Amino acid sequence: MGALRHYLDAEHQLCCAHALRELQAVADAAGPDAGWCWATQAADALVAMQRLVAEAVTAARDAVDAGALAEQVHRYRSAVQIGITQTAARSDAVMRKHHALARRLRDREDDYLRFTRDWRIPPDNNGSERDIRMIKLRQKISGCLRTLAGARQFCAIRSYLSTAAKHGLHFFETLVMLAEGRPWLPAVH
């Protein structure tokens, strides 16, 4: 994500799946005797917002239930603010890490909750990670990609095919079109 900050005009969706894993780690560190934990409430609110969007999309509605969404956003913000307060001492490395998480969840709220406003954007980057997994698998099987040029070519082809698949085309059809000199290009909006 660090490199993406250089794109000043771009809007980002930070991965909620990663945030949920980090929040689970905070809850685990609090232990079973902690009772209530700010991280659990923040995670529950994130999951509830994802469910609200999924339900609205499935029902072909134009918007999420505004009241239900506002309630979950309030729960999220309250939990995050409590997390900042509870970890403000930053007395050890774990508490500093939890404090940084709570501050990031507050400071980058728009980037974590963008999926609630723009339904074209998934709340996680699992699809993107799946797209690059192939190159990692190729590295493990063959031991490497022999040249930087070969790696770039592989990535370009993989990216092209992945984008086409996301638009409903099959790999073979896309490659045939490309070989025939009729490359598929996504529509410009």
Side-chain angles (χ1 to χ4, degrees):
M1 179 62 209
L4 295 179
R5 287 195 196 117
H6 299 297
Y7 294 99
L8 302 177
D9 294 333
E11 292 185 330
H12 304 287
Q13 170 64 52
L14 294 178
C15 182
C16 290
H18 287 109
L20 289 170
R21 284 193 290 276
E22 291 180 270
L23 289 166
Q24 184 61 54
V26 173
D28 291 347
D33 297 331
W36 179 89
C37 178
W38 69 270
T40 303
Q41 180 174 319
D44 289 347
L46 272 175
V47 169
M49 286 185 259
Q50 291 178 40
R51 188 173 44 252
L52 286 169
V53 170
E55 289 170 356
V57 168
T58 301
R61 293 194 303 260
D62 293 334
V64 174
D65 177 340
L69 180 60
E71 178 184 342
Q72 295 308 322
V73 170
H74 176 74
R75 289 183 68 226
Y76 171 88
R77 289 178 178 158
S78 298
V80 168
Q81 190 57 51
I82 290 168
I84 291 170
T85 303
Q86 285 182 351
T87 61
R90 296 176 279 208
S91 58
D92 61 26
V94 172
M95 191 179 286
R96 283 191 294 276
K97 188 175 182 179
H98 295 175
H99 186 74
L101 169 62
R103 287 182 54 126
R104 182 169 21 96
L105 291 171
R106 180 197 64 195
D107 296 346
R108 303 287 306 273
E109 177 183 307
D110 284 344
D111 295 331
Y112 278 108
L113 304 185
R114 183 156 283 109
F115 73 94
T116 64
R117 297 180 302 281
D118 186 345
W119 296 353
R120 297 171 301 166
I121 303 170
D124 57 46
N125 65 3
N126 292 341
S128 300
E129 288 180 350
R130 265 190 306 276
D131 289 345
I132 64 169
R133 194 169 297 135
M134 178 60 78
I135 195 163
K136 298 304 288 180
L137 182 62
R138 186 176 173 95
Q139 284 177 315
K140 287 180 181 179
I141 291 170
S142 68
C144 65
L145 289 161
R146 299 284 181 227
T147 65
L148 184 55
R152 284 186 178 139
Q153 291 169 350
F154 177 83
C155 288
I157 293 167
R158 183 70 186 161
S159 174
Y160 179 72
L161 292 174
S162 176
T163 302
K166 289 174 184 171
H167 286 266
L169 280 78
H170 298 286
F171 284 174
F172 185 73
E173 294 169 0
T174 306
L175 289 172
V176 168
M177 289 170 59
L178 187 61
E180 292 175 347
R182 319 177 279 116
W184 171 83
L185 295 172
V188 178
H189 296 285

